[in-house]
Amino acid sequence: MSRKRKPKYVTKAVSEEISVEIQALLWGLMDILATKRKERMDYLQVFEISATKKHIHIVNKQEKPPIQEKFVFGNVSIVTKNVVVWIIDDHEKQVMLFPSDY
């Protein structure tokens, strides 16, 4: 994955169902992961988001090469349900979507 700035898009469903704060958090994680993984970054990143009473849990997965990382954040007021979000990077742009949007 190239680290140049790319246009970022969000599907209508994600825009309506995921808070702007969580969207920004996922975009930030994408940038961190791309910098960290460099050539090992897969074009498809899967983010499983869940919340407990005190934390937001995000599990990031990719297939090639297989990598999984877990992140925990402290503010749960911005998550209302467990959800899976994909971010697809096609080298020209990045798109945040639900699997059902594909």
Side-chain angles (χ1 to χ4, degrees):
M1 299 287 124
S2 166
R3 293 191 303 169
K4 70 175 185 153
R5 294 300 276 174
K6 301 174 190 171
K8 294 177 177 1
Y9 299 96
V10 178
T11 64
K12 182 177 180 184
V14 168
S15 177
E16 291 174 348
E17 296 183 38
I18 303 291
S19 70
V20 173
E21 294 88 355
I22 293 293
Q23 292 175 40
L25 180 62
L26 294 176
W27 289 127
L29 284 174
M30 273 295 287
D31 291 341
I32 290 166
L33 294 171
T35 300
K36 179 178 170 182
R37 294 180 187 165
K38 297 182 172 93
E39 298 82 29
R40 298 180 64 218
M41 185 81 166
D42 194 5
Y43 79 97
L44 172 63
Q45 297 297 308
V46 177
F47 295 91
E48 298 173 353
I49 305 166
S50 60
T52 63
K53 290 184 180 182
K54 296 184 180 182
H55 298 96
I56 298 169
H57 297 265
I58 299 177
V59 177
N60 167 250
K61 298 177 183 179
Q62 72 175 40
E63 290 186 353
K64 295 182 183 180
I67 298 175
Q68 178 173 312
E69 290 189 63
K70 297 178 183 180
F71 304 91
V72 179
F73 301 93
N75 185 356
V76 298
S77 63
I78 57 178
V79 175
T80 58
K81 63 180 180 177
N82 297 346
V83 66
V84 175
V85 175
W86 290 355
I87 297 181
I88 297 175
D89 185 326
D90 74 359
H91 297 291
E92 295 178 18
K93 66 186 177 302
Q94 294 178 330
V95 180
M96 184 181 297
L97 65 156
F98 291 125
S100 60
D101 293 333
Y102 189 69

